[in-house]
Amino acid sequence: RKEVEQDPGPFNVPEGATVAFNCTYSNSASQSFFWYRQDCRKEPKLLMSVYSSGNEDGRFTAQLNRASQYISLLIRDSKLSDSATYLCVVQPRAGGSYIPTFGRGTSLIVHP
Amino acid sequence: ETGVTQTPRHLVMGMTNKKSLKCEQHLGHNAMYWYKQSAKKPLELMFVYNFKEQTENNSVPSRFSPECPNSSHLFLHLHTLQPEDSALYLCASSPQGSYNEQFFGPGTRLTVL
């Protein structure tokens, strides 16, 4: 089983749609979780951290389910500018250092 | 300059060449990372440095040799690369600790002929 798994998509949705991505991880010792966004031919940038209680930032909601070892990202009222690849990142603690593991990303295409 | 910078942005080299990639961060961070991003594959962590000390080497071939002279600079020395090493090489930095985001540089697009 891969350490961090994401559905690569692409998810092709109209403007205004609600879309959800899931990400599963295999290391139960994982301690911190993030969603990054990567635009075409650009570097990844942090979208939001994922907290145990769940968190929301405008149209974006992230949730963590430790028992089932998955995190999710919900995007409401999709905009054309949301088109990008969304990367799930899991950071277990290993021997005092923090080794981030990235999923392969989920591609989102928002069309008019 | 602010953030994380990388030079060169594009590099084409032959298999017998020796070249170096440079990364510099102006954020006062203590941890720096090298990643490899190939088409249709997840980001692969290559090396991690904390306070100039290498803390992780993720089974990277010896033809890739990192150097971290101080907390702000990170190099990746390349020699006798293979065509399959062609990829986007990303540098990132973060404050030490697992609860912090990473800040990425724009990357170096490497092509090995």
Side-chain angles (χ1 to χ4, degrees):
Chain A
R1 182 179 175 185
K2 295 177 185 173
E3 290 190 58
V4 178
E5 289 203 59
Q6 293 183 254
D7 181 346
F11 285 64
N12 203 320
V13 303
E15 273 187 287
T18 295
V19 62
F21 308 137
N22 283 335
C23 168
T24 58
Y25 59 94
S26 59
N27 189 339
S28 59
S30 298
Q31 294 198 329
S32 47
F33 310 86
F34 305 88
W35 283 102
Y36 281 72
R37 170 193 170 129
Q38 186 172 23
D39 292 293
C40 186
R41 307 189 75 81
K42 298 280 192 179
E43 71 273 22
K45 292 185 179 178
L46 181 71
L47 178 66
M48 59 198 305
S49 303
V50 187
Y51 304 122
S52 296
S53 55
N55 48 302
E56 187 173 310
D57 183 2
R59 298 181 293 108
F60 300 85
T61 300
Q63 292 195 313
L64 166 65
N65 185 318
R66 285 190 184 271
S68 301
Q69 294 183 201
Y70 78 83
I71 65 174
S72 63
L73 177 68
L74 182 77
I75 305 176
R76 291 180 298 278
D77 188 22
S78 300
K79 311 292 184 190
L80 296 177
S81 56
D82 293 335
S83 298
T85 297
Y86 291 84
L87 304 171
C88 166
V89 183
V90 172
Q91 293 186 190
R93 179 168 182 167
S97 59
Y98 302 94
I99 311 305
T101 303
F102 282 74
R104 64 186 298 178
T106 297
S107 176
L108 172 65
I109 301 170
V110 182
H111 59 82
Chain B
E1 279 200 81
T2 59
V4 182
T5 57
Q6 288 185 244
T7 54
R9 295 293 307 276
H10 300 273
L11 178 62
V12 180
M13 58 187 288
M15 288 190 286
T16 58
N17 292 156
K18 289 185 179 181
K19 297 286 183 183
S20 295
L21 309 185
K22 179 183 176 182
C23 175
E24 185 173 356
Q25 58 98 0
H26 308 268
L27 300 167
H29 291 165
N30 298 314
M32 296 188 78
Y33 310 77
W34 278 118
Y35 287 91
K36 175 184 178 182
Q37 188 172 37
S38 305
K40 301 189 185 304
K41 295 176 76 173
L43 251 68
E44 299 172 56
L45 180 67
M46 300 175 71
F47 301 103
V48 181
Y49 278 82
N50 276 306
F51 292 100
K52 302 186 299 178
E53 298 296 321
Q54 183 176 313
T55 56
E56 291 297 327
N57 176 337
N58 201 19
S59 302
V60 180
S62 60
R63 57 185 185 270
F64 295 92
S65 173
E67 178 190 359
C68 188
N70 54 61
S71 295
S72 299
H73 293 86
L74 187 64
F75 295 89
L76 188 63
H77 303 299
L78 316 171
H79 65 97
T80 59
L81 294 192
Q82 304 298 310
E84 59 265 29
D85 296 323
S86 299
L88 179 68
Y89 288 85
L90 289 159
C91 173
S93 71
S94 70
Q96 191 188 22
S98 72
Y99 298 100
N100 296 295
E101 70 173 289
Q102 296 177 69
F103 292 79
F104 284 84
T108 295
R109 177 75 56 185
L110 173 67
T111 302
V112 182
L113 301 177

